[in-house]
Amino acid sequence: MSRLRSLTSKLKPYGVGLLVKQTTAPRTVLSRCCVHSSGGKEPFLSGTNSSYVEEMYYAWLENPKSVHKSWDAFFRNAEAEMPLGGTNHVASLVDKDNKTSWTLGQGLSMAPAKAEKLVEDHLAVQSLIRAYQIRGHDAASLDPLGINEVFSDGSLDEHAIGHANIGFYGLHEADLDKVFRLPTTTYVGGNESALSLREIIRRLEDSYCQHIGLEFMFINDVEQCQWIRQKFETPGIMKFTNEEKRTLLARLVRSTRFEDFLARKWSSEKRFGLEGCEVMIPALKAIIDKSSEMGVEYVIMGMPHRGRLNVLANVIRKDLEQIFCQFDPSLEASDEGSGDVKYHLGMYHERINRVTNKKITLSLVANPSHLEAVDPVVQGKTKAEQFYRGDVEGKKVMSILLHGDAAFAGQGVVYETFHLSDLPSYTTNGTIHVVVNNQIGFTTDPRMARSSPYPTDVARVVNAPIFHVNADDPEAVMYVCNVAAEWRNTFHKDVVVDLVSYRRSGHNEMDEPMFTQPLMYKQIHKQVPVLKKYADKMIAEGIVSLQEFEEEIAKYDKICEESYTQSKDKKILNIKHWLDSPWPGFFTLDGEPKSMTCPPTGIPEDMLLHIGTVASSVPVDDFKIHGGLSRILKSRMEMTKNHVVDWALAEYMAFGSLLKEGIHVRLSGQDVERGTFSHRHHVLHHQDVDRRTCVPMNHLWPNQAPYTVCNSSLSEYGVLGFELGFAMASPNALVLWEAQFGDFHNTAQCIIDQFISSGQAKWVRHNGIVLLLPHGMEGMGPEHSSARPERFLQMSNDDSDAYPDFTQDFEVSQLYDCNWIVVNCSTPATYFHVLRRQILLPFRKPLIIFTPKSLLRHPEAKSSFDDMKTGTNFQRMIPERGPASQNPLGVKRVVFCTGKVYYELVKERHLKGMDNQVAITRLEQISPFPYDLVKEEVEKYAAAELVWCQEEHKNMGYYDYIKPRFLTLLDHKRPIWYVGRDPATASATGNKNTHLVELRRFLDAAFCLHSFKGKIF
């Protein structure tokens, strides 16, 4: 009994009115169970309480099923325990032949102690059961090393570890063999409705305090909690057939021997092996098997570097020789790109699942070393695959995300990704998260790496159940993974599997962990590998023989050796063999574009009129819109009738025309439905009916592609990663992400740098995502002015010193060779064309568009239908078309610019009367640089001074990009002078007056023809 008493220090009573501190007297908790009136305290069976019990008893005598199960159990026990023939016997308290005769009050008042004890003991047992369900994981044996335990309460004795510290709420040793009715909130009874306290405790400890620790009682859904209880509490439920155990052993052999083989052959190479958590491979395969059994056809995975090669080999089934040849330093790279290290690469594979005999497609998404950055990318790709299959509930396509313990707790993008999990336009209907919990992050101990007890606590924010499991118990791991797969495919919600393991080597195989974790690694060096532990167990049980086990090892070793021999024959490394998102039919079989031409991007005039008409109306009946919106729609209709478009209408026509051609359009970001600047209004809201909306874009054509426009959560990193993943799935979709202000994209810089800018070079992954970044210096301060064009231009891969060959297909070839396209449109028409060109090109490149703010309503920033109808194209450069172009020899200065500043320059030129002396040319496409068009313009004005004018500061904006390219084009014989704001640290001033002074200064300089006289470039 001393063991039972000591349990109270660990698990405190849980339940309404049953929470007490460790120091509370055992019976205090029971007094809280008593029912009290609104007045003073009264005994349990007197006054109003006695009357209530009398009524319950009378009803029970009439029909035991008419009262709650707890009252039924109470009265049955009361009758069973009172001596027959005694005045205290409940049955004698009532004349059973005449139920209207009541003597119950007097009878029960004679035995209040026994009745109260019975109620209190049952409530205490229920609280005990609930305590195990809530806190049992604290006492579970989760650490294979036996050195780290989780303490969720600072008041607990750190040396009092294990199930021996769970409290019994005042129950005594004499109660251990007493039989208690089980509540409906537990399944430990199996087919039995009552058990002795001793047996209840034993079964609870088997369920909650062994090698599996469960966190689920925070879920606010009774059905889901009951489902989990049933899966883990039912006696004998965690059973495996001998065949399943043999399969598990074979998978462990492959996982372990693969790492052993790499260690033998390349002992000095980094490979980020899985030693210490080899069970991860059978765990993933179990999840995939169970999901396939439940109807899943496509699994998309994301993971960090640790164990990646093993996953590629034994889960995705990448050819071993292609993996092994990656270790050959003499292997020549193909000309497909820069490539990436082997433990970052992805893979796509279709095969038959051997367990279910069903077809399964597996995709492991390539990712950088930026841990967890791949999470939203995987979710976006999963959402897209579900969308294109019409898999609304996620029954056919699912995602699995693997994490390291330190990154899962430390990286904010994990939180951002979780918060997308239940948003209508972002949900993937449940993700299975598998945490490889090495209990260390590089060299950092968990105590220094997180403030929460577990690395998985972030999952609580979305009510995801968390299953902790000791990774040295393979059968427990398999069971948990099967339950996780069933959970996801039953409730379509996220679930976390925490594989508590260890890392046998350092962060990589070359690292020495004893510097910082000497005691942990002394224990690790003694640790018996999980394969040997499980094999010994299987042999002892007679499930396999030692000979069979050794033959299984020899068979896989032979496969590795043969693949190793074949890998030596490979001379070229083809990155395209590691593609994670192929687009069948879009490219040739060699992965090349089917042509190097782009058709005209204009559309018929009647189509422009039709789209404009729908954009100006409410296409559903009985739909009341805001009065201000009515005026906006009326203005659109007037523009349509006049064959003119503004920015919002041009966008509408680009989207609408692509929808007619079967191209799905998805626009996502913060406030994009209305538009940050209240210009878009793609979702109309009924003014009298809550949540009734209308999207006119989906009412354009009878058989159009769907249009998705969705306000996102207030996230850039997570949402941009999501949209990037969505765009990966198909080339036949226009996927756009719009920043609330262009300045805010820098919180998603990791996605831009590691995926968008360099994704094709590293992983041969084409992507046509479009970034809409509101940009413009308008006196709104340093966080609402600049989309940082200099950063995108600096990462552009075209060579500023290489003079290009102007071939017939120069424009398209230049786009094909670049890593992304950077534009700053100055007219609605060019915006319209560049959006359509994005789809009509025979390949896909990311498109960065610096979109306007004030130009959205600028009276001069409008375009005619003539600039958009059939036969027209995107203009990479818009040359001077005014009086200056009629007399090039009379032009003193040519001002090159881009974007909004053009309108300020034109206005200033007119005010100064210099329309004949100064030509103003706009670059709509900045990168790749339009050498051919700029060459024509500078040759046309051969005698003129060349100036680049920008509204951004000199160390920002475009000047550092365009200057060397101009000089290359000019053979360094003519300068290109700078006009704009001086260098600065902040992107813009926060003072309106300073903003205007700066603007006046550089406008004056732009039209002062003597500004650069005598200067040397």
Side-chain angles (χ1 to χ4, degrees):
M1 189 62 196
S2 61
R3 169 187 172 278
L4 303 182
R5 294 182 193 282
S6 67
L7 293 170
T8 57
S9 65
K10 184 80 176 185
L11 269 183
K12 299 177 183 176
Y14 273 77
V16 178
L18 293 173
L19 291 168
V20 293
K21 296 183 179 180
Q22 291 176 318
T23 56
T24 305
R27 305 308 295 181
T28 304
V29 61
L30 303 178
S31 66
R32 296 187 184 182
C33 304
C34 301
V35 180
H36 302 304
S37 68
S38 58
K41 186 179 296 184
E42 62 179 357
F44 179 67
L45 290 177
S46 63
T48 56
N49 294 329
S50 177
S51 299
Y52 177 69
V53 174
E54 290 170 7
E55 293 177 19
M56 290 295 101
Y57 184 66
Y58 180 71
W60 178 74
L61 289 173
E62 287 277 2
N63 179 9
K65 294 184 179 179
S66 67
V67 299
H68 192 269
K69 291 181 180 180
S70 59
W71 281 112
D72 182 34
F74 167 63
F75 291 129
R76 288 181 188 276
N77 276 287
E79 286 218 338
E81 291 182 6
M82 292 181 184
L84 293 174
T87 57
N88 291 340
H89 187 237
V90 177
S92 68
L93 299 178
V94 178
D95 179 3
K96 292 184 179 180
D97 295 327
N98 181 8
K99 302 247 180 1
T100 60
S101 174
W102 278 89
T103 58
L104 179 62
Q106 179 184 3
L108 286 179
S109 66
M110 295 171 65
K114 286 191 175 182
E116 185 175 352
K117 176 72 166 66
L118 186 64
V119 172
E120 290 176 347
D121 285 355
H122 271 82
L123 289 174
V125 170
Q126 290 189 35
S127 297
L128 170 65
I129 293 170
R130 180 173 173 81
Y132 270 97
Q133 293 168 343
I134 293 174
R135 298 283 296 276
H137 58 87
D138 281 343
S141 178
L142 300 176
D143 181 13
L145 303 177
I147 58 176
N148 287 328
E149 294 293 341
V150 174
F151 307 106
S152 58
D153 190 326
S155 68
L156 297 181
D157 180 3
E158 292 187 1
H159 303 289
I161 297 171
H163 57 273
N165 297 294
I166 300 176
F168 287 154
Y169 314 97
L171 295 167
H172 299 288
E173 190 169 358
D175 299 318
L176 278 174
D177 295 314
K178 182 177 178 181
V179 175
F180 290 89
R181 290 269 173 180
L182 294 169
T184 58
T185 54
T186 184
Y187 288 84
V188 294
N191 296 323
E192 301 172 88
S193 60
L195 292 172
S196 69
L197 178 58
R198 190 186 305 276
E199 183 63 14
I200 291 172
I201 293 169
R202 187 190 68 78
R203 294 189 184 187
L204 286 171
E205 297 223 348
D206 282 347
S207 297
Y208 291 104
C209 301
Q210 301 305 311
H211 288 161
I212 298 173
L214 307 177
E215 290 187 273
F216 68 97
M217 290 292 283
F218 50 80
I219 298 174
N220 51 12
D221 185 292
V222 174
E223 178 191 359
Q224 293 173 12
C225 287
Q226 287 289 78
W227 188 92
I228 293 173
R229 291 184 186 114
Q230 187 270 330
K231 290 294 180 183
F232 288 96
E233 292 183 356
T234 304
I237 196 169
M238 200 174 84
K239 298 290 185 182
F240 293 92
T241 66
N242 288 348
E243 185 59 34
E244 288 172 333
K245 291 180 180 180
R246 282 192 288 267
T247 298
L248 171 54
L249 180 63
R251 289 172 171 179
L252 262 180
V253 166
R254 287 175 171 261
S255 174
T256 304
R257 298 303 291 178
F258 177 82
E259 298 294 351
D260 292 347
F261 184 83
L262 295 185
R264 289 197 308 271
K265 296 295 184 183
W266 298 282
S267 59
S268 60
E269 280 274 352
K270 287 183 182 181
R271 54 186 171 82
F272 295 96
L274 200 53
E275 293 96 332
C277 194
E278 294 92 343
V279 76
M280 186 188 83
I281 298 301
L284 287 177
K285 293 177 79 70
I287 291 170
I288 293 168
D289 291 346
K290 178 59 70 173
S291 299
S292 174
E293 178 187 315
M294 299 185 76
V296 171
E297 299 172 354
Y298 192 179
V299 178
I300 300 166
M301 295 188 287
M303 69 177 296
H305 42 277
R306 186 162 312 284
R308 191 179 194 88
L309 296 180
N310 209 324
V311 170
L312 285 166
N314 290 312
V315 178
I316 308 292
R317 297 289 178 83
K318 180 75 174 172
D319 292 339
L320 291 179
E321 59 266 28
Q322 290 195 19
I323 295 175
F324 295 159
C325 75
Q326 288 273 341
F327 289 91
D328 185 354
S330 64
L331 198 66
E332 295 180 17
S334 65
D335 59 357
E336 298 163 320
S338 61
D340 202 349
V341 291
K342 49 190 168 289
Y343 39 81
H344 286 173
L345 300 176
M347 178 61 184
Y348 173 95
H349 187 48
E350 296 180 7
R351 62 177 175 84
I352 297 296
N353 182 281
R354 294 177 182 176
V355 173
T356 62
N357 203 33
K358 293 180 178 180
K359 184 179 178 182
I360 189 83
T361 300
L362 303 174
S363 176
L364 177 62
V365 177
N367 66 272
S369 284
H370 294 65
L371 298 174
E372 308 296 343
V374 77
D375 295 357
V377 180
V378 168
Q379 300 298 65
K381 179 174 166 60
T382 303
K383 181 67 175 180
E385 297 292 354
Q386 292 174 350
F387 176 83
Y388 296 128
R389 286 170 167 77
D391 185 17
V392 178
E393 297 180 0
K395 294 182 177 180
K396 301 295 184 184
V397 183
M398 65 171 282
S399 58
I400 301 175
L401 288 174
L402 289 91
H403 315 268
D405 52 318
F408 197 59
Q411 292 292 316
V413 70
V414 174
Y415 185 87
E416 292 187 34
T417 305
F418 265 117
H419 271 286
L420 298 176
S421 65
D422 202 31
L423 301 183
S425 296
Y426 301 88
T427 180
T428 56
N429 302 285
T431 296
I432 299 177
H433 300 264
V434 179
V435 179
V436 178
N437 186 351
N438 295 317
Q439 308 181 81
I440 187 173
F442 205 147
T443 67
T444 304
D445 291 323
R447 180 66 189 87
M448 306 301 168
R450 62 178 185 265
S451 296
S452 58
Y454 295 104
T456 53
D457 287 336
V458 65
R460 286 170 167 260
V461 300
V462 292
N463 279 339
I466 303 165
F467 304 148
H468 308 280
V469 59
N470 187 319
D472 265 14
D473 185 344
E475 291 182 12
V477 171
M478 292 310 101
Y479 185 74
V480 160
C481 289
N482 281 325
V483 172
E486 289 183 51
W487 166 275
R488 187 270 166 196
N489 291 293
T490 300
F491 297 106
H492 299 285
K493 288 183 168 294
D494 285 28
V495 58
V496 177
V497 176
D498 179 21
L499 300 178
V500 185
S501 56
Y502 57 92
R503 190 187 66 196
R504 190 166 287 278
S505 301
H507 177 65
N508 60 64
E509 288 69 25
M510 302 297 98
D511 196 49
E512 175 51 76
M514 291 286 285
F515 288 145
T516 51
Q517 277 77 30
L519 298 182
M520 171 184 267
Y521 273 85
K522 284 178 183 178
Q523 179 61 40
I524 288 174
H525 293 156
K526 300 176 188 175
Q527 196 77 2
V528 177
V530 65
L531 175 59
K532 178 168 175 47
K533 284 183 180 179
Y534 192 59
D536 290 347
K537 177 176 180 288
M538 295 274 282
I539 293 169
E541 293 176 0
I543 297 173
V544 297
S545 66
L546 176 61
Q547 181 182 350
E548 288 173 322
F549 173 59
E550 291 174 343
E551 287 174 355
E552 187 71 30
I553 290 177
K555 182 174 74 173
Y556 188 69
D557 286 353
K558 183 181 178 183
I559 292 172
C560 290
E561 287 290 351
E562 290 174 351
S563 298
Y564 175 67
T565 302
Q566 294 170 9
S567 71
K568 293 181 178 180
D569 296 332
K570 294 190 177 293
K571 305 299 181 185
I572 301 293
L573 171 61
N574 291 295
I575 309 171
K576 63 186 177 185
H577 292 164
W578 300 77
L579 187 60
D580 57 14
S581 301
W583 293 340
F586 186 70
F587 294 111
T588 66
L589 294 178
D590 295 328
E592 299 295 324
K594 293 181 177 179
S595 73
M596 287 301 286
T597 59
C598 180
T601 48
I603 60 176
E605 191 169 339
D606 61 342
M607 189 184 296
L608 293 169
L609 285 168
H610 174 73
I611 297 172
T613 301
V614 174
S616 309
S617 62
V618 182
V620 295
D621 297 329
D622 191 27
F623 196 96
K624 182 181 178 181
I625 62 174
H626 191 275
L629 185 54
S630 297
R631 291 190 292 273
I632 292 173
L633 298 184
K634 182 179 179 181
S635 173
R636 285 183 185 173
M637 182 60 75
E638 290 176 357
M639 284 192 290
T640 300
K641 290 178 179 177
N642 293 329
H643 290 209
V644 172
V645 297
D646 63 2
W647 212 270
L649 196 51
E651 181 183 76
Y652 220 108
M653 290 177 172
F655 290 177
S657 59
L658 291 173
L659 294 173
K660 181 176 174 57
E661 296 164 15
I663 301 299
H664 170 54
V665 179
R666 176 183 170 94
L667 174 62
S668 164
Q670 296 159 23
D671 312 299
V672 296
E673 295 179 3
R674 190 203 74 172
T676 299
F677 310 102
S678 195
H679 68 290
R680 184 173 284 125
H681 296 287
H682 283 188
V683 178
L684 310 182
H685 293 260
H686 198 294
Q687 295 300 294
D688 294 332
V689 182
D690 188 33
R691 298 185 183 181
R692 187 184 175 196
T693 59
C694 171
V695 181
M697 194 84 76
N698 281 319
H699 296 265
L700 285 168
W701 322 100
N703 297 308
Q704 68 172 69
Y707 173 56
T708 303
V709 56
C710 44
N711 290 341
S712 74
S713 63
L714 200 66
S715 156
E716 289 83 28
Y717 192 167
V719 174
L720 179 55
F722 187 97
E723 301 308 330
L724 175 81
F726 200 103
M728 283 169 54
S730 171
N732 299 315
L734 183 67
V735 180
L736 310 96
W737 175 76
E738 182 175 70
Q740 192 177 66
F741 283 85
D743 315 60
F744 302 153
H745 81 261
N746 56 11
T747 58
Q749 200 68 46
C750 177
I751 298 296
I752 294 169
D753 291 356
Q754 308 305 322
F755 291 87
I756 300 177
S757 169
S758 55
Q760 182 181 347
K762 293 191 291 188
W763 309 313
V764 202
R765 178 201 285 166
H766 284 251
N767 197 297
I769 190 169
V770 180
L771 273 62
L772 304 179
L773 307 177
H775 172 83
M777 315 295 280
E778 298 174 359
M780 298 180 70
E783 277 75 53
H784 296 82
S785 298
S786 177
R788 295 290 188 174
E790 65 278 0
R791 295 181 179 171
F792 294 95
L793 296 173
Q794 184 187 38
M795 288 188 284
S796 296
N797 67 347
D798 56 326
D799 188 349
S800 62
D801 298 323
Y803 193 91
D805 295 325
F806 299 121
T807 58
Q808 185 176 359
D809 59 0
F810 173 73
E811 178 181 350
V812 177
S813 296
Q814 195 184 30
L815 293 174
Y816 181 69
D817 292 335
C818 73
N819 61 318
W820 57 17
I821 304 165
V822 181
V823 303
N824 188 357
C825 300
S826 63
T827 73
T830 54
Y831 179 54
F832 162 86
H833 283 295
V834 80
L835 290 175
R836 285 187 48 79
R837 186 185 72 170
Q838 186 70 355
I839 292 298
L840 295 179
L841 283 170
F843 46 82
R844 294 291 173 263
K845 298 285 178 176
L847 173 62
I848 315 300
I849 306 180
F850 302 120
T851 56
K853 293 175 286 187
S854 61
L855 291 192
L856 296 173
R857 295 177 177 82
H858 196 292
E860 301 299 322
K862 288 185 169 60
S863 296
S864 166
F865 279 15
D866 293 338
D867 298 326
M868 303 162 64
K869 61 186 182 183
T870 303
T872 55
N873 279 299
F874 172 70
Q875 291 182 277
R876 292 173 291 147
M877 187 192 80
I878 302 178
E880 171 63 51
R881 290 173 178 157
S885 64
Q886 305 303 316
N887 182 23
L889 295 178
V891 172
K892 304 297 184 184
R893 176 177 288 181
V894 180
V895 178
F896 288 88
C897 65
T898 185
K900 174 184 75 73
V901 73
Y902 166 77
Y903 292 93
E904 292 162 331
L905 289 168
V906 168
K907 180 180 179 181
E908 188 67 18
R909 180 178 64 175
H910 180 70
L911 291 174
K912 292 183 179 295
M914 301 179 72
D915 290 347
N916 294 306
Q917 295 176 282
V918 178
I920 303 176
T921 298
R922 289 169 272 176
L923 295 190
E924 301 291 286
Q925 177 179 296
I926 306 155
S927 180
F929 191 71
Y931 284 99
D932 51 338
L933 302 180
V934 173
K935 182 174 182 291
E936 292 177 10
E937 195 74 352
V938 297
E939 289 176 350
K940 179 178 180 179
Y941 302 100
E945 187 176 51
L946 305 180
V947 168
W948 175 262
C949 181
Q950 65 179 39
E951 57 181 350
E952 297 82 5
H953 293 280
K954 188 175 183 179
N955 58 326
M956 304 173 195
Y958 320 91
Y959 184 61
D960 285 341
Y961 175 84
I962 67 96
K963 180 181 177 180
R965 289 160 178 80
F966 263 95
L967 295 179
T968 295
L969 194 62
L970 298 166
D971 197 22
H972 291 264
K973 293 178 180 177
R974 294 171 66 186
I976 176 81
W977 299 109
Y978 171 79
V979 169
R981 287 180 166 88
D982 293 335
T985 51
S987 60
T989 177
N991 183 277
K992 187 72 172 180
N993 182 64
T994 303
H995 165 75
L996 296 174
V997 169
E998 291 173 344
L999 175 62
R1000 169 49 47 203
R1001 185 181 297 129
F1002 80 73
L1003 287 177
D1004 287 344
F1007 294 99
C1008 177
L1009 300 182
H1010 306 292
S1011 298
F1012 307 104
K1013 188 174 182 179
K1015 289 191 176 182
I1016 301 174
F1017 76 96

